[in-house]
Amino acid sequence: MVLVHLIDGTFELFRYFLSPAAAFDRNAPEELRAVRGVVVSILGMLEGGATHLGVATDHVIESFRNALWPSYKTGVGIDPLLFAQFQPLEDALGALGVVVWPMVEFEADDALAAGAAVAAADARVEQVVVCTPDKDLAQVVRGDRIVQLDRRTREVRNEQGVQQKFGVLPASIPDWLALVGDNADGYPGLPGWGARSAAAVLARYQHLEHIPKLATEWEVSVRGATRLATTLTGQRELALLLRQLATLRADAPIGADVDALRWSGPRADFAAWAERLGTPSLHERASALAAARAAT
């Protein structure tokens, strides 16, 4: 049985760039330190037993969502030193032999959702592990078959874990985000709605269109229900638009099946990348691992 790991490469790049340890890393040149951190981490996953990997990246920050909501997240304010490592990350991981999905019209999160759908549809796959703590990706969790992993804390979140964390099932996460908003992605929720009230109502009704317009018809007790119902009724179109922003596109073009995700070793140009990253031993490690797997 196959275990598939899908990694948010952009998140990992940010994580290593902002890591205090990166400031003391003198192996790689400053303009590639975050890239080195991610590559070392991915190679470590392979050495730890991972066999099928896909890494999604934001080749550019803007996506189709910016046309729907102009203030959706953009590249404004990103440290130029970090932004300059987006392309090198994709190139270095490709040289390592890892499948990379650079997103332009869509976002890395969409590619992860698409990859999870493809992998889960394959009967050979025992489990899909989506490696990101991003709450957006909670919507793709399915039972114990598709789970979320926070690689920093090692927390694994299955469907029950999503419900415990947010108070709703994965299918209601886009509706929940529409009501409470997402500052990281640059869109608000509806006035007065908070995490608890949204969870309480959606736990009963699941989706926005199923919530009765009148609070007197709600079959759940929520503080300020009349005000919340009035707000939702008056701003229903906005709420539906916000849900569209929060809904991941499992039809994002990734062009890969489970077999394509199987790691078979580095390309010849990974030796040069290992040198550029200040760690020539990376090529030796990757080549030795590939040889060992080929032998078995």
Side-chain angles (χ1 to χ4, degrees), residues 16 21 36 62 89 98 116 129 240 243 261 265-266 285 293:
Y16 280 97
R36 176 185 178 276
E62 290 77 9
L89 174 66
V98 173
V129 182
L240 294 176
R243 184 176 66 178
L261 298 180
R285 288 166 54 186
R293 291 192 178 181

Coordinates of all heavy atoms in Angstrom, one line a residue, residues 16 21 36 62 89 98 116 129 240 243 261 265-266 285 293:
Y16 N 11.3 28.3 6.8 CA 12.8 28.2 6.9 C 13.4 29.6 6.8 O 14.4 29.9 7.4 CB 13.4 27.3 5.9 CG 13.3 25.8 6.3 CD1 12.2 25.0 5.9 CD2 14.1 25.3 7.2 CE1 12.1 23.7 6.3 CE2 14.0 24.0 7.7 CZ 13.0 23.2 7.2 OH 12.8 21.9 7.6
A21 N 17.1 29.9 13.3 CA 18.3 29.1 13.0 C 18.9 29.5 11.7 O 20.1 29.3 11.4 CB 18.0 27.6 13.0
R36 N 17.8 25.9 0.8 CA 18.6 24.8 1.4 C 17.8 24.1 2.5 O 17.8 22.9 2.6 CB 19.9 25.2 1.9 CG 20.7 24.2 2.6 CD 22.0 24.7 3.3 NE 22.8 23.7 4.0 CZ 22.5 23.3 5.2 NH1 21.5 23.9 5.9 NH2 23.2 22.4 5.8
E62 N -0.2 36.1 -6.7 CA -1.6 36.4 -7.1 C -2.2 35.2 -7.8 O -1.5 34.4 -8.4 CB -1.6 37.6 -8.0 CG -1.4 39.0 -7.3 CD 0.1 39.2 -7.0 OE1 1.0 38.4 -7.5 OE2 0.4 40.1 -6.3
L89 N 13.8 27.4 -5.5 CA 13.2 26.3 -4.7 C 12.7 25.3 -5.7 O 12.9 24.1 -5.6 CB 12.2 26.8 -3.8 CG 11.4 25.6 -3.0 CD1 12.4 24.9 -2.1 CD2 10.2 26.2 -2.3
V98 N 12.0 15.4 -7.2 CA 10.7 15.5 -6.6 C 9.7 16.2 -7.6 O 10.1 17.2 -8.3 CB 10.7 16.3 -5.3 CG1 9.4 16.6 -4.7 CG2 11.6 15.6 -4.3
A116 N -4.5 15.7 -3.5 CA -5.2 14.8 -2.5 C -6.3 14.0 -3.2 O -6.5 12.8 -2.9 CB -5.6 15.6 -1.4
V129 N -1.2 12.2 3.1 CA -0.8 13.1 4.2 C -0.5 14.5 3.6 O 0.5 14.7 2.9 CB 0.4 12.6 5.0 CG1 0.8 13.5 6.1 CG2 0.2 11.2 5.4
L240 N -21.5 34.3 0.2 CA -21.3 33.3 -0.9 C -20.0 33.5 -1.6 O -19.3 32.6 -2.0 CB -22.5 33.2 -1.8 CG -23.8 32.7 -1.2 CD1 -24.9 32.8 -2.1 CD2 -23.6 31.3 -0.6
R243 N -17.1 32.5 0.5 CA -17.0 31.0 0.5 C -16.3 30.6 -0.8 O -15.5 29.6 -0.8 CB -18.3 30.4 0.6 CG -18.2 28.8 0.7 CD -19.6 28.2 0.9 NE -20.5 28.3 -0.2 CZ -21.7 27.8 -0.3 NH1 -22.2 27.2 0.7 NH2 -22.5 28.0 -1.3
L261 N 4.4 10.4 -8.7 CA 4.9 10.9 -7.5 C 5.9 10.1 -6.8 O 6.6 10.5 -5.9 CB 3.7 11.1 -6.5 CG 2.6 12.0 -6.9 CD1 1.5 12.1 -5.9 CD2 3.1 13.4 -7.2
G265 N 15.0 9.0 -7.5 CA 16.3 9.5 -7.3 C 16.6 10.9 -7.9 O 15.7 11.4 -8.6
P266 N 17.7 11.5 -7.7 CA 18.0 12.8 -8.2 C 18.4 12.8 -9.6 O 18.8 11.8 -10.2 CB 19.2 13.3 -7.3 CG 19.9 12.0 -7.0 CD 18.8 11.0 -6.9
R285 N 24.0 11.8 -0.5 CA 22.9 11.2 0.3 C 21.8 10.7 -0.6 O 21.2 9.6 -0.5 CB 22.4 12.1 1.4 CG 23.4 12.3 2.5 CD 23.0 13.5 3.4 NE 21.6 13.5 3.8 CZ 21.0 14.5 4.5 NH1 21.7 15.6 4.7 NH2 19.7 14.4 4.9
R293 N 17.3 1.9 -2.7 CA 15.9 1.6 -3.1 C 15.8 0.7 -4.3 O 15.0 -0.2 -4.5 CB 15.0 2.8 -3.2 CG 14.8 3.5 -1.9 CD 13.8 4.6 -2.0 NE 13.5 5.2 -0.7 CZ 12.7 6.2 -0.5 NH1 11.9 6.7 -1.5 NH2 12.5 6.7 0.7

